Amino acid sequence: MNKHLPPFLQHPLAREIALAIVIKLAVIVAIFFAFFDGQSVSTDAEAVADRLANPSQHPIH
Amino acid sequence: MLTEELVDLSRLQFAVTALYHFLFVPLTLGLAFILVIMELTYVITDRPIYKDMVRFWGKLFGINFALGVTTGITMEFQFGTNWAYYSHYVGDIFGAPLAIEGLMAFFLESTFIGLFFFGWDRLNKWKHFMVTVLMAVGSNLSALWILIANGWMQNPLGAEFSYVTMRMEMTDFWSIVFNPVAQAKFVHTVSAGYVTASLFVLGISSYYLLKGRDLDFARRSFRIAAGFGFASALSVIVLGDESGYTIGESQQTKMAAIEAMWETEPAPAGFTVFALPNETEMRNDYALHIPYVLGLIGTRSLTETMPGIKEIKERNRERIENGIQAVTALERLRKHRDDAAARAAFEASKADLGFGLLLKKYTVDVSQATPEMIQQAVDDTIPRVAPLFWSFRLMVALGFAFLLLFGFALFYSVKGNFIEKKWLLRWALWFIPMPWIAAELGWVVAEYGRQPWTIYGVLPTHISVSNLTPGNIYGSLAGFVGFYTVLLIVEMVLMTKYARQGPASLGTGKYHGEIAAGGALPAGAVADKI
């Protein structure tokens, strides 16, 4: 099976590190996706100007 | 809807993720250079024990890097998720050093870390040494660009607000790069990393010496850590003083709060060693001063005064009142871009735009701000004194304790009898966590002391946050704390396991536990290359 892997993953330790990093990134992205997806803001000049004019009333998009 | 709760939660989330991230960073910064010193000794002397030292301490470096990498990414994501308006308002400036860090420094560091671990059999010793040097340079360059970004938040140079795009725009890249606050922060921060790594090596080496095992290995590691640590502890104090000087120039508010200096004192001001700050009555209930010291640190002069909190507040009141003109003119310009009178009014007062925006917390129309609202905004410009006062003093006390410890370690290393000094070895062992505490306190002073601003004097924190619900942040905060705690536990378990195993974990058959078994290698040690 290892023959099919790219050279940088041939070493067992390299595979462990790569897997750990992928899992960590996946968890971080999952947390962000779970709690912040759909909360994006308009960041054109008008929207930001509105924000400066009235920060506390700015709607959630 | 923006609420105090939302702003506080967003700040808490960033603080928690940043403080967790910085548990991993200082060891990477410092240990990389200790590996350079050890490997240079190996390539010059050709003695295998130094190669074993590089490989063993490199193994602990690798565990720390593998666990720590990605924790910084969370913070970069948060600029978009939790601080979207901050990102839009200053992203063109703030984003540049972050992008350079990723493309230049982090890629350099990560590439050479791979070569460091897997290149022992493929590179000759000089080439491998160069890989280690580049890995150390890469990790420190990473810190440089991040601290340039952070330094700009403390002292925003080389940028100005454009009423056309409604955001800050870069006017001078090089003044951002050579921002004196950023430069002072960089050298102070990396020196703190060197102290952390030196004490880590010194403490674990002391453990072996106390146990009477791997004496040759531990003795050499101890000496290198003592020498490097002493130089680093000295520089962290000297460069911290330099950092204090630049803070004095650009962030007098932070300095006054750190010192609980309510009144402007005659020059040169005294340094308050101990005090009980009374924030309600704006005085110290009890204070112990050392004459002249603060004035010399903060101004490098015997005649220049340093403003106290009361004077700073009065200055800020004027700036807030002037800022009202800036905000009002900006709102007129927004409706009529060609309004020459509004443009002239804005140009005359735009330096105080940020101070005018402080009032947005209390009123939509700042031109109608009442004296009470202005007073509240004035009070907001001073961060809480007691947390800064005590965090700073604890950090400084620890800094001097490190200097003392490394001073003794170096002195007895030169004398050659440090192995007999059990008290010194125990001190080094039990002091291992202290540099992390000092570094975290340093970040509390730097970032908490910047409040109520995300960009000092330019953008108030309450305007910078995204419109989220507190539930979003409670959920993600719990997720990050849980996940990072798991990472931290894994790190500590692995570090403790390999530190206890010692150089025997390299599987060379020469060290404690291996020799006792008649040279047989411990199970699982052979395949382990790092």
Side-chain angles (χ1 to χ4, degrees), chain B residues 513-525:
Chain B
E514 301 172 303
I515 300 165
L521 303 185

Side-chain angles (χ1 to χ4, degrees), chain A residues 24 43 48 50-53 58, chain B residues 66 69 85 88 334 360 465:
Chain A
K24 282 197 292 179
T43 50
V48 175
D50 283 343
R51 167 71 163 211
L52 292 181
H58 205 262
Chain B
V69 73
Y85 287 95
H88 182 77
R334 207 183 138 209
K360 289 284 185 183
V465 292

